[in-house]
Amino acid sequence: MEYRHLGRSGLKVSEIIYGNFLTHGSQIEEDAALGCVATALDEGITTFDTADEYAETRAEEVLGRALHGVRRESVEICTKVYWPTGSGANDRGLSRKHIMESVNASLRRLQTDYVDLYQAHAFDHETPLEETLRAFDDLIRQGKVLYVGVSEWRAEEIAAALKIAGELGLDRIVSNQPEYNMIWRVIESEVVPLCEREGISQIVWAPIAQGTLTGKYLPGAAPPAGSRATDDRGGSECIAEYLTHDILSRVQLLRPVAEEAGLTLAQLAVAWTLQNPNVAGAIVGASRPEQIRENVRAAGIRLDQEALRRIDEIFAGQIVTDGAKTASPAVRP
């Protein structure tokens, strides 16, 4: 495993980050989840990403149990706040009330006194940005949060937060967590240039496009039984946009590129995201330990320019670059 600084901070995270979206507390039994976390630790993964709303808060609970007994200083725990965690009008968003209540609930579920990275899971158009940033800053002063970041924010939203933090002397954002892979590249035009200038890293999710880039989905064929595309608990919705005949056909064209690099298709996809120097880590999920063992082999890989050119050529016409595709709800859900 290799490790990279998170933004301009002194914190280092593992290049491969274990995330439990759609798995812990939902798609897989707890014994399997515990086994995956144990394997991640054995493979050198130190950074674990979750969110308060995953599996209706159960994901944090499972991760807390999985890491129980692990030396706290040896891991980085990242969680998020914004999406609903209850039925009340204030059980969502980035108000001071919800942030303070949500972090305390997350700490209880995760069985820890602090989280290393606390992230705004979307931009809240109903809360003054200053209110959110002051609440985050207060959590840092209280020792409940070490660093703050955001997820799926547009460049202008990140810039506005940096401006307020500078004017008020608040702790700055050190990371953004966007979707990013060979096909979905909406951060490249505006978000990455801004973040490079301002010392903010990307922690990217869906590096294998929800499984599409593994090559297991074949054009014209039914999805494999038990795969994410057949899951009715949210997985099938996440992957649906990628499962077109054109995209699946192009994924098969990646096989020679992967073979020449000595990688599987999944490893190639994860390694591709890590070629971007603004990416600190790629989040991978897993329902089986062997998936983790495969994905960690993408750490430290350096793809040559010819391989990168061929990947661009294969997906030409399917690559999404429009930064406006990143959008938070105008009204809290």
Side-chain angles (χ1 to χ4, degrees), residues 249-316:
S249 298
R250 292 170 189 242
V251 169
Q252 297 306 311
L253 299 178
L254 287 173
R255 291 191 181 280
V257 181
E259 290 168 1
E260 289 172 23
L263 303 170
T264 65
L265 285 178
Q267 290 165 348
L268 178 69
V270 175
W272 181 90
T273 67
L274 293 170
Q275 306 311 296
N276 188 324
N278 192 229
V279 172
I283 300 171
V284 300
S287 56
R288 303 185 307 277
E290 55 266 29
Q291 293 172 323
I292 297 173
R293 296 190 189 100
E294 177 182 2
N295 287 328
V296 296
R297 302 298 176 260
I301 296 295
R302 298 296 174 261
L303 301 175
D304 60 37
Q305 290 302 309
E306 175 61 14
L308 296 175
R309 184 196 65 77
R310 289 167 66 187
I311 291 168
D312 288 347
E313 186 177 80
I314 287 169
F315 287 111

Side-chain angles (χ1 to χ4, degrees), residues 17 21 49-51 54 78-80 117 119-121 149-153 158 175-180 187 200-206 281 283:
I17 297 171
F21 173 57
D49 182 80
T50 186
Y54 290 170
C78 314
T79 192
K80 312 180 196 73
L117 179 66
Q119 303 156 98
H121 208 169
V150 299
S151 177
E152 291 293 339
W153 280 30
I158 296 172
S175 64
N176 176 50
Q177 187 177 130
E179 181 176 4
Y180 185 57
I187 60 171
I200 296 170
S201 286
Q202 311 301 312
I203 296 176
V204 303
W205 61 275
I283 300 171

Side-chain angles (χ1 to χ4, degrees), residues 20 139 147 243 251 313:
N20 67 359
L139 292 179
Y147 300 90
L243 298 184
V251 169
E313 186 177 80

Side-chain angles (χ1 to χ4, degrees), residues 4-330:
R4 298 186 183 188
H5 279 282
L6 191 60
R8 208 173 283 154
S9 78
L11 180 68
K12 285 190 174 182
V13 297
S14 50
E15 283 190 345
I16 308 300
I17 297 171
Y18 182 79
N20 67 359
F21 173 57
L22 291 178
T23 52
H24 292 187
S26 178
Q27 288 182 341
I28 63 176
E29 298 298 325
E30 182 148 343
D31 285 349
L34 300 184
C36 285
V37 170
T39 299
L41 292 166
D42 288 344
E43 294 290 341
I45 292 175
T46 61
T47 311
F48 294 84
D49 182 80
T50 186
D52 57 4
E53 61 101 13
Y54 290 170
E56 298 178 336
T57 74
R58 294 188 301 274
E60 285 186 330
E61 293 176 351
V62 175
L63 182 60
R65 289 192 287 271
L67 292 176
H68 182 72
V70 175
R71 190 173 73 91
R72 179 64 183 86
E73 295 81 1
S74 69
V75 295
E76 304 83 47
I77 299 176
C78 314
T79 192
K80 312 180 196 73
V81 57
Y82 171 84
W83 296 99
T85 52
S87 59
N90 289 307
D91 292 333
R92 63 208 68 216
L94 298 177
S95 67
R96 170 176 287 274
K97 176 176 172 63
H98 184 53
I99 287 172
M100 295 300 182
E101 293 171 347
S102 186
V103 75
N104 287 327
S106 288
L107 293 176
R108 288 194 298 271
R109 290 189 289 263
L110 290 164
Q111 302 183 40
T112 184
D113 296 327
Y114 68 94
V115 293
D116 298 87
L117 179 66
Y118 200 44
Q119 303 156 98
H121 208 169
F123 188 85
D124 187 355
H125 293 280
E126 294 190 48
T127 300
L129 189 49
E130 180 181 330
E131 177 181 339
T132 297
L133 296 176
R134 281 191 180 277
F136 277 176
D137 196 73
D138 286 345
L139 292 179
I140 290 176
R141 302 290 163 257
Q142 293 169 14
K144 294 180 179 180
V145 169
L146 302 187
Y147 300 90
V148 292
V150 299
S151 177
E152 291 293 339
W153 280 30
R154 297 170 71 152
E156 60 267 29
E157 294 163 350
I158 296 172
L162 294 173
K163 183 175 185 293
I164 291 173
E167 292 172 347
L168 300 180
L170 307 176
D171 263 63
R172 288 164 50 96
I173 294 165
V174 299
S175 64
N176 176 50
Q177 187 177 130
E179 181 176 4
Y180 185 57
N181 54 57
M182 293 176 180
I183 301 166
W184 192 263
R185 308 188 193 182
V186 300
I187 60 171
E188 290 183 345
S189 59
E190 298 178 1
V191 170
V192 167
L194 169 69
C195 290
E196 286 178 333
R197 292 194 304 271
E198 297 291 345
I200 296 170
S201 286
Q202 311 301 312
I203 296 176
V204 303
W205 61 275
I208 57 175
Q210 306 291 349
T212 304
L213 296 174
T214 65
K216 66 182 177 183
Y217 298 102
L218 301 175
S227 65
R228 179 162 293 184
T230 63
D231 179 66
D232 60 2
R233 291 162 293 183
S236 58
E237 294 178 13
C238 294
I239 196 175
E241 64 183 318
Y242 290 113
L243 298 184
T244 68
H245 187 276
D246 192 12
I247 287 177
L248 296 181
S249 298
R250 292 170 189 242
V251 169
Q252 297 306 311
L253 299 178
L254 287 173
R255 291 191 181 280
V257 181
E259 290 168 1
E260 289 172 23
L263 303 170
T264 65
L265 285 178
Q267 290 165 348
L268 178 69
V270 175
W272 181 90
T273 67
L274 293 170
Q275 306 311 296
N276 188 324
N278 192 229
V279 172
I283 300 171
V284 300
S287 56
R288 303 185 307 277
E290 55 266 29
Q291 293 172 323
I292 297 173
R293 296 190 189 100
E294 177 182 2
N295 287 328
V296 296
R297 302 298 176 260
I301 296 295
R302 298 296 174 261
L303 301 175
D304 60 37
Q305 290 302 309
E306 175 61 14
L308 296 175
R309 184 196 65 77
R310 289 167 66 187
I311 291 168
D312 288 347
E313 186 177 80
I314 287 169
F315 287 111
Q318 286 291 346
I319 296 171
V320 182
T321 59
D322 183 5
K325 294 284 187 179
T326 298
S328 297

